[in-house]
Amino acid sequence: MKYIDAPDLQERMVEIVKTLEMEHIDLSRVKCLRSFGSSTKRTIARCHTMGKLMQKAMGVSAFYAIEFLERFERMSKVDQDKVIIHELMHIPKTFGGGFRQHDFVCEENIEVFHREYLKRKQKQDIFVSPEPKKFPFWKF
Ligand SMILES: [Zn+2]
């Protein structure tokens, strides 16, 4: 396996987090990487973290890494955005080193997030001044 930084995907991830106001996500503690040479051909991306015990042992707080596999590159931009949203949704509100499971990170909720993302992006393009702050549109 080989891993390289993915600054372009990092930028897209940051854009999505900011647009959707996912304020529980500490952007300084999420990193996007590309991986090459995985034997799992079906996997597109996956979210990694470090459990509480390792955090305690190492004296560090939670950190999340989003790995994008080779299959990701062959997807459309829209589907790629949905994959990024999918992985971000695995990060729980506590940002504590656990994951939200696929009962929440499901096709239906991903669509809701993606639709909201497009809606907000459109508004950003039309209006110069930002909209007043709203509560997050999703429920935890
Ligand atoms: Zn998932």
Side-chain angles (χ1 to χ4, degrees), residues 27-56:
L27 286 168
S28 69
R29 303 194 71 80
V30 182
K31 176 104 177 165
C32 294
L33 299 151
R34 281 191 171 87
S35 72
F36 301 91
S38 172
S39 55
T40 52
K41 296 282 176 249
R42 282 172 51 216
T43 310
I44 300 162
R46 51 193 165 206
C47 193
H48 302 256
T49 191
M50 200 160 53
K52 274 196 168 32
L53 184 136
M54 283 303 290
Q55 291 172 41
K56 176 78 180 163

Side-chain angles (χ1 to χ4, degrees), residues 61-80:
S61 50
F63 200 101
Y64 288 86
I66 304 175
E67 174 195 0
F68 295 90
L69 288 83
E70 286 159 274
R71 222 185 113 182
F72 179 82
E73 310 299 333
R74 298 192 290 272
M75 301 175 84
S76 69
K77 171 112 183 358
V78 167
D79 284 341
Q80 287 182 341

Side-chain angles (χ1 to χ4, degrees), residues 17-129:
V17 167
K18 286 185 174 167
T19 304
L20 289 177
E21 295 177 278
M22 300 170 95
E23 287 174 339
H24 59 293
I25 294 179
D26 180 349
L27 286 168
S28 69
R29 303 194 71 80
V30 182
K31 176 104 177 165
C32 294
L33 299 151
R34 281 191 171 87
S35 72
F36 301 91
S38 172
S39 55
T40 52
K41 296 282 176 249
R42 282 172 51 216
T43 310
I44 300 162
R46 51 193 165 206
C47 193
H48 302 256
T49 191
M50 200 160 53
K52 274 196 168 32
L53 184 136
M54 283 303 290
Q55 291 172 41
K56 176 78 180 163
M58 294 174 72
V60 296
S61 50
F63 200 101
Y64 288 86
I66 304 175
E67 174 195 0
F68 295 90
L69 288 83
E70 286 159 274
R71 222 185 113 182
F72 179 82
E73 310 299 333
R74 298 192 290 272
M75 301 175 84
S76 69
K77 171 112 183 358
V78 167
D79 284 341
Q80 287 182 341
D81 283 343
K82 287 181 188 175
V83 170
I84 297 170
I85 288 169
H86 176 141
E87 298 311 322
L88 286 169
M89 286 170 74
H90 276 303
I91 301 175
K93 198 181 175 186
T94 55
F95 203 85
F99 295 112
R100 294 213 72 170
Q101 303 303 315
H102 284 123
D103 57 335
F104 173 71
V105 189
C106 60
E107 209 60 55
E108 197 185 328
N109 285 342
I110 293 162
E111 286 300 324
V112 171
F113 275 58
H114 185 252
R115 266 198 304 274
E116 182 69 23
Y117 176 64
L118 293 181
K119 204 172 92 188
R120 292 186 179 199
K121 285 300 286 178
Q122 248 171 357
K123 280 186 185 156
Q124 280 178 8
D125 292 342
I126 298 164
F127 301 111
V128 179
S129 59

Side-chain angles (χ1 to χ4, degrees), residues 2-25:
K2 191 180 146 200
Y3 301 103
I4 58 165
D5 286 355
D8 55 324
L9 299 179
Q10 186 82 20
E11 210 173 286
R12 281 168 69 182
M13 182 274 290
V14 167
E15 180 68 32
I16 288 170
V17 167
K18 286 185 174 167
T19 304
L20 289 177
E21 295 177 278
M22 300 170 95
E23 287 174 339
H24 59 293
I25 294 179

